[in-house]
């Protein structure tokens, strides 16, 4: 109420003065004064209205740009300035929150796409751009199915059952496998979350292949042993010769299974990252001396085997693991070298590194096989490997031992001429002998 009186004060004053003038100077003078005062008041309001309209037309609505006013307009403009200040403050807070939100989602390892109620892209983070081949600046507003066109995804989106993720093997980004999960939120909006599961899928494939390979390796010896046991336990009598042959073959197949299981156990021990290498000085010269004896007994005089130890340097590592790696390379050289062939086992120091090598004059390996030799169960000639007692795991064991000893394997081979397997040990693994200095 007081506001109304305050705002009407000027009008009341004009009416009162007009009345007084009427009484003193007569009606004409009083009316002239009243018209002048009203005209001034109208002009005052129009001037402020024009200023307000001009301010509304400009795009920069900051409190500082609000025009100055007088009288009642001073209060109006002050209120307006307060309102604009509050509005710009909350807008600033909102854009800061949005910026923070975008920063968080950009830092996330998962891709995020915001879809509207008609499945059009509203926003996505850079990871989603990468996973799904989206370019936000060009594709915002596009239907997601226009960019992710795979039929399983279109069906997944249409089915509206989002409890399980969808695995997409072929996206616009070649070579990656993504898992997609839709999460409904708000008013018919959806979040599409993408995750790169390429590595996980590779491990899964390796696991499946490994189980299939082990089963395959065990099946043949088990079939042989099972077959003989069935015949021997039948009522029909068998000859002494058959008995002997059956026992010999069963022993051979059992040994093969034992070797396979032993190699699998060694591999699993090596692959277990919790089993750290127990570093101790290893006297390579005496280790190779005993490896030479094993080699000679395996070769049984069929090969010429030489051992050259050019340095007394020791290695820091696990004796058991190094024995297994060296032993695997030496036994391969014997198994893949025809009778009468040459095999040389060497330990030397070269360019500050330790070099262990096994050279043979055997069958050699075609170059396309070399990069895959250290894969589990990879064989160039499966029948030769099995005939000579191979499990297909020897070089996989070597690779793991070398990884654990900061060493690398180098394979040089020529078909029909022979192979050379070099192991390079880094200088930090060498324990220099005094006599070498
Ligand atoms: P395996 O038990 O079959 O010998 P490895 O992992 O030790 O398994 O070797 C993998 C394959 O590499 C072998 O099957 C063989 O084909 C090839 N290989 C390994 N060493 C030699 C060698 N010294 N000469 C020729 N081929 C070799």
């Amino acid at each position: 109420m007081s506001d109304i009186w305050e705002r009407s004060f000027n009008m009341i004053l004009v009416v009162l003065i007009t009345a007084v003038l009427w009484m003193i100077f007569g009606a004409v003078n009083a009316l002239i004064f009243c018209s002048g005062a009203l005209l001034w008041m109208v002009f005052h309001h129009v001037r402020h209205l024009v200023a307000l309209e001009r301010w509304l037309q400009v795009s920069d609505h900051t409190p500082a740009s609000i025009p100055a006013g007088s009288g009642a307009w001073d209060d109006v403009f002050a209120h307006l300035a307060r309102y604009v200040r509050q509005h710009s403050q909350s807008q600033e807070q909102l854009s800061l929150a949005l910026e923070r939100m975008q920063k968080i989602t950009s830092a996330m390892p998962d891709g995020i796409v915001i879809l509207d109620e008609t499945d059009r892209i509203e926003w996505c983070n850079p990871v989603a751009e990468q996973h799904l081949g989206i370019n936000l600046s060009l594709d915002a507003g596009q239907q997601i199915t226009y960019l992710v066109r795979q039929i399983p995804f279109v069906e997944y989106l249409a089915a509206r059952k989002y409890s399980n993720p969808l695995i997409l093997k072929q996206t616009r980004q070649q070579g990656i496998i993504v898992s997609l999960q839709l999460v409904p939120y708000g008013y018919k909006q959806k979040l599409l979350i993408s995750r790169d599961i390429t590595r996980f899928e590779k491990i899964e494939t390796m696991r499946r292949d490994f189980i299939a390979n082990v089963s395959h390796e065990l099946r043949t010896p088990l079939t042989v042993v099972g077959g003989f046991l069935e015949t021997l336990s039948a009522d029909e009598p068998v000859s002494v010769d058959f008995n002997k042959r059956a026992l010999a073959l069963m022993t051979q197949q059992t040994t093969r299974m034992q070797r396979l299981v032993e190699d699998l156990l060694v591999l699993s021990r090596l692959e277990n990252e919790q089993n750290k290498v127990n570093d101790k000085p290893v006297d390579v010269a005496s280790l190779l001396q005993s490896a030479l004896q094993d080699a000679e007994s395996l070769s049984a005089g069929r090969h010429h085997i030489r051992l050259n130890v050019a340095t007394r340097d020791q290695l820091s590592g696990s004796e058991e693991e190094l024995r297994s790696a060296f032993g695997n390379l030496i036994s391969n050289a014997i198994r893949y070298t025809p009778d009468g062939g040459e095999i040389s086992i060497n330990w030397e120091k070269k360019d500050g590194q330790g070099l262990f090598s096994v050279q043979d004059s055997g069958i050699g390996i075609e170059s396309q096989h070399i990069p895959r030799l250290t894969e589990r169960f990879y064989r160039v000639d499966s029948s030769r490997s099995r005939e000579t007692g191979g499990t297909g795991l020897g070089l996989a064991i070597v690779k793991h031992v070398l990884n654990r000893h900061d060493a690398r394997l180098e394979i040089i081979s020529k078909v029909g001429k022979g192979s050379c397997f070099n192991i390079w040990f880094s200088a930090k693994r060498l324990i220099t002998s005094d006599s070498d200095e």
Side-chain angles (χ1 to χ4, degrees):
M1 213 46 184
S2 62
D3 266 7
I4 294 175
W5 286 114
E6 213 179 296
R7 300 273 176 264
S8 315
F9 177 73
N10 285 348
M11 294 267 283
I12 295 166
L13 195 67
V14 168
V15 171
L16 284 176
I17 295 173
T18 307
V20 172
L21 288 176
W22 196 310
M23 283 189 279
I24 302 171
F25 300 110
V28 176
N29 287 328
L31 283 174
I32 289 171
F33 167 78
C34 185
S35 321
L38 286 177
L39 207 66
W40 180 86
M41 281 164 74
V42 169
F43 174 75
H44 173 75
H45 287 304
V46 168
R47 188 170 66 86
H48 283 92
L49 269 176
V50 169
L52 179 62
E53 201 195 352
R54 275 204 195 123
W55 178 80
L56 286 172
Q57 276 169 357
V58 296
S59 54
D60 177 26
H61 289 152
T62 59
S65 64
I66 292 177
S70 58
W73 284 97
D74 188 27
D75 288 352
V76 171
F77 287 151
H79 284 310
L80 190 61
R82 205 172 316 129
Y83 169 76
V84 169
R85 207 172 297 119
Q86 278 170 358
H87 178 72
S88 61
Q89 262 170 8
S90 59
Q91 222 175 13
E92 217 168 275
Q93 276 166 359
L94 260 176
S95 60
L96 274 176
L98 195 70
E99 206 178 300
R100 208 172 323 131
M101 185 69 197
Q102 287 187 348
K103 269 190 191 153
I104 292 169
T105 46
S106 299
M108 278 173 71
D110 292 345
I112 293 176
V113 186
I114 297 177
L115 300 176
D116 68 9
E117 64 267 38
T118 56
D119 298 332
R120 289 176 191 277
I121 300 169
E122 276 187 1
W123 181 85
C124 73
N125 68 352
V127 182
E129 286 189 300
Q130 212 187 345
H131 285 172
L132 304 172
I134 297 175
N135 182 340
L136 185 62
S137 51
L138 298 176
D139 300 329
Q142 288 275 16
Q143 282 283 339
I144 184 74
T145 47
Y146 182 75
L147 299 154
V148 186
R149 289 162 178 254
Q150 285 81 349
I151 292 167
F153 176 73
V154 177
E155 287 172 354
Y156 175 66
L157 192 66
R160 313 215 163 252
K161 287 184 195 143
Y162 308 137
S163 47
N164 291 323
L166 171 80
I167 291 171
L168 265 195
K169 299 220 166 169
Q170 261 142 25
T171 54
R172 289 168 106 198
Q173 209 70 358
Q174 286 297 308
I176 69 163
I177 302 170
V178 290
S179 139
L180 297 177
Q181 171 88 60
L182 275 159
V183 184
Y185 80 99
Y187 179 71
K188 289 187 179 172
Q189 282 172 304
K190 293 172 216 82
L191 273 186
L192 175 64
I193 300 170
S194 64
R195 183 166 296 166
D196 184 351
I197 55 161
T198 317
R199 213 175 86 86
F200 174 77
E201 279 289 305
K202 266 192 191 146
I203 293 171
E204 193 53 25
T205 312
M206 270 168 68
R207 192 187 64 83
R208 273 197 295 267
D209 288 353
F210 181 68
I211 291 173
N213 278 324
V214 173
S215 314
H216 178 76
E217 292 295 324
L218 287 173
R219 199 166 48 205
T220 319
L222 278 174
T223 311
V224 173
V225 174
F228 280 124
L229 284 176
E230 206 174 300
T231 316
L232 292 172
S233 49
D235 289 339
E236 272 126 77
V238 287
S239 68
V240 178
D241 266 8
F242 179 86
N243 239 337
K244 271 190 186 165
R245 206 161 57 84
L247 282 176
L249 279 169
M250 283 198 290
T251 312
Q252 192 192 58
Q253 296 303 330
T254 314
T255 314
R256 183 171 153 189
M257 285 190 281
Q258 267 170 348
R259 255 200 305 263
L260 179 68
V261 172
E262 271 161 28
D263 277 359
L264 284 172
L265 285 173
V266 171
L267 254 188
S268 98
R269 250 198 321 271
L270 291 170
E271 279 179 340
N272 186 350
E273 282 170 8
Q274 320 254 284
N275 288 339
K276 295 265 173 276
V277 184
N278 188 9
D279 283 336
K280 284 204 174 117
V282 179
D283 184 354
V284 182
S286 62
L287 180 72
L288 293 183
Q289 203 59 51
S290 89
L292 176 68
Q293 281 169 14
D294 294 345
E296 273 164 350
S297 89
L298 182 66
S299 160
R302 291 175 292 127
H303 308 91
H304 305 286
I305 308 175
R306 274 181 299 126
L307 170 65
N308 310 305
V309 176
T311 173
R312 297 298 303 180
D313 276 9
Q314 300 195 338
L315 273 176
S316 165
S318 152
E319 177 160 350
E320 191 195 334
E321 290 182 21
L322 291 171
R323 185 190 298 278
S324 158
F326 296 165
N328 269 307
L329 293 187
I330 297 169
S331 89
N332 278 355
I334 295 167
R335 288 168 40 235
Y336 297 106
T337 300
D339 292 358
E342 304 270 338
I343 291 159
S344 78
I345 306 163
N346 312 292
W347 172 234
E348 59 192 298
K349 194 171 175 180
K350 213 170 180 183
D351 304 329
Q353 293 176 292
L355 173 60
F356 167 81
S357 61
V358 182
Q359 181 135 27
D360 65 52
S361 60
I363 57 172
I365 308 157
E366 282 181 71
S367 59
Q368 77 266 25
H369 297 292
I370 291 179
R372 298 196 59 190
L373 290 184
T374 56
E375 286 175 23
R376 292 182 290 194
F377 298 111
Y378 188 86
R379 292 154 162 136
V380 177
D381 179 349
S382 302
S383 56
R384 182 166 187 142
S385 159
R386 291 200 182 94
E387 274 163 27
T388 56
T391 59
L393 296 172
L395 291 181
I397 291 175
V398 172
K399 182 183 83 176
H400 276 92
V401 172
L402 300 197
N403 283 347
R404 288 160 64 87
H405 286 81
D406 318 299
R408 70 183 166 86
L409 181 67
E410 181 185 39
I411 306 170
I412 304 160
S413 188
K414 209 160 193 180
V415 178
K417 295 263 185 248
S419 311
C420 182
F421 284 72
N422 291 328
I423 300 180
W424 293 91
F425 290 94
S426 69
K428 68 176 180 193
R429 284 267 166 197
L430 279 184
I431 304 168
T432 308
S433 138
D434 291 344
S435 56
D436 279 7
E437 284 178 348

